[in-house]
């Protein structure tokens, strides 16, 4: 009330209020002032990647300068100032590579041995994983700072396909070239339609090991001559199922 700003405790200052008392006399007021100070603390934190602090900010790097004031948060009724001491570790980068193809073999998925822990989708905890079945495999690693990284890979078992169609066969029961067969490797599906020279379908099969012995579906022998085929097949390419078709003719000689 004397107009002064006090920056420390004070019990000696006085102020006279002229004729302010009920009896018409001056009133003398003595100050008894205790100056309280704000409390200060440091919030020590560590995190991986990013960290959201009490000030509402997301920090993407270590920080020892940020502060936040909690109004009237101290036990003495004064503001509380909190300083941040943040150590931020980068997230580890882990890569199993791109989609992987293999053929009739086992393949090994391998990571650096510098990480402190590994966990694969099948429960393995080694730095490498041997794959014998096609599928999706993923791994979570933990580095020395306790931060985790993740990656997954699609593994396809896929072998090069081939298909060969004969241009002649001799169903004369001599056990040599008696059947019209489609020789193939690594097909997913096969369908063959056989036609005579008038375009009539006389035989068919829809499995990879099927064949024609020169007879109609009813069991009658067909005569020598030129016959025609439509061969439809499925095969895998980079893990994707594709379709193919071949058309042509062949000779039957008894």
């Amino acid at each position: 009330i004397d107009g002064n700003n006090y920056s420390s405790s004070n019990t000696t200052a006085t102020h006279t209020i002229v004729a302010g008392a009920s009896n018409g006399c001056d009133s003398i007021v003595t100050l008894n002032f205790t100056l309280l100070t704000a409390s200060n603390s440091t919030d020590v934190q560590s995190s991986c990647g990013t960290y959201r602090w009490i000030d509402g900010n997301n920090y993407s790097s270590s920080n020892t300068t940020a502060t936040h004031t909690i109004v009237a948060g101290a036990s003495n009724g004064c503001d509380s100032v909190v300083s941040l001491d943040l150590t931020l570790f980068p997230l580890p980068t882990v890569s199993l590579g791109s989609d992987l193809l293999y053929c009739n073999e086992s393949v090994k998925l391998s990571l650096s041995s510098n990480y402190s822990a590994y966990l694969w989708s099948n429960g393995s905890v080694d730095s490498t994983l041997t794959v014998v079945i096609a599928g999706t495999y993923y791994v979570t690693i933990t580095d020395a700072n306790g931060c985790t990284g993740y990656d997954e890979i699609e593994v396809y078992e896929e072998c090069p396909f081939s298909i060969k169609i004969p241009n002649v066969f001799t169903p004369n029961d001599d056990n040599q070239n008696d059947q019209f067969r489609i020789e193939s490797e690594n097909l997913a599906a096969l369908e063959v339609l056989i036609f005579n020279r008038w375009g009539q379908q006389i035989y068919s099969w829809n499995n990879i090991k099927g064949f024609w012995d020169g007879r109609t579906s009813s069991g009658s022998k067909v005569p020598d001559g030129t016959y025609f085929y439509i061969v439809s097949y499925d095969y895998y390419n980079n893990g994707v199922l594709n379709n193919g078709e071949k058309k042509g003719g062949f000779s039957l000689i008894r």
Side-chain angles (χ1 to χ4, degrees):
I1 60 176
D2 62 2
N4 296 322
N5 285 316
Y6 292 87
S7 57
S8 60
S9 299
N10 190 298
T11 58
T12 60
T14 60
H15 177 66
T16 301
I17 301 175
V18 178
S22 58
N23 57 11
C25 298
D26 294 342
S27 179
I28 299 175
V29 182
T30 301
L31 178 63
N32 185 1
F33 171 55
T34 301
L35 184 65
L36 303 175
T37 59
S39 64
N40 296 284
S41 63
T42 300
D43 185 16
V44 179
Q45 296 287 345
S46 63
S47 184
C48 302
T50 61
Y51 180 75
R52 185 176 181 85
W53 196 40
I54 56 175
D55 60 0
N57 294 323
N58 285 315
Y59 292 87
S60 57
S61 60
S62 298
N63 191 298
T64 58
T65 59
T67 60
H68 179 65
T69 299
I70 302 175
V71 178
S75 58
N76 58 16
C78 297
D79 295 345
S80 177
V81 179
V82 182
S83 298
L84 177 63
D85 184 356
L86 172 64
T87 301
L88 204 61
F89 302 110
L91 292 175
T93 300
V94 55
S95 176
L96 293 171
S98 56
D99 291 349
L100 178 64
L101 298 176
Y102 73 102
C103 176
N104 298 325
E105 60 184 340
S106 62
V107 294
K108 182 176 289 187
L109 307 179
S110 183
L111 292 171
S112 167
S113 59
N114 296 329
Y115 301 116
S116 59
Y118 306 80
L119 180 60
W120 294 88
S121 50
N122 70 343
S124 174
V125 293
D126 297 324
S127 61
T128 61
L129 179 69
T130 299
V131 173
V132 295
I133 301 175
T136 301
Y137 294 86
Y138 55 86
V139 64
T140 300
I141 62 92
T142 305
D143 66 11
N145 298 316
C147 300
T148 60
Y150 171 91
D151 195 30
E152 69 177 37
I153 187 173
E154 189 75 24
V155 180
Y156 300 99
E157 183 176 15
E158 180 179 303
C159 298
F161 81 95
S162 65
I163 184 168
K164 295 180 181 179
I165 304 174
N167 57 15
V168 61
F169 84 114
T170 58
N172 54 12
D173 299 325
D174 64 353
N175 295 321
Q176 295 183 15
N177 198 27
D178 280 337
Q179 299 167 341
F180 180 81
R181 290 180 177 271
I182 308 300
E183 297 182 9
S184 65
E185 290 184 356
N186 304 315
L187 291 184
L190 176 69
E191 181 182 47
V192 182
L193 307 178
I194 304 295
F195 301 87
N196 62 22
R197 61 180 178 173
W198 294 284
Q200 298 170 322
Q201 181 179 321
I202 59 175
Y203 201 77
S204 68
W205 68 91
N206 61 0
N207 63 82
I208 294 174
K209 296 182 178 181
F211 61 89
W212 184 42
D213 60 1
R215 296 174 182 268
T216 65
S217 299
S218 63
S220 301
K221 290 183 178 181
V222 301
D224 291 8
T226 300
Y227 294 84
F228 302 90
Y229 61 79
I230 297 177
V231 175
S232 303
Y233 54 94
D234 296 340
Y235 64 96
Y236 283 96
N237 183 26
N238 290 329
V240 178
L241 187 65
N242 294 269
N243 311 115
E245 184 179 85
K246 291 182 180 292
K247 298 179 179 180
F250 61 95
S251 297
L252 185 155
I253 304 172
R254 294 194 181 275

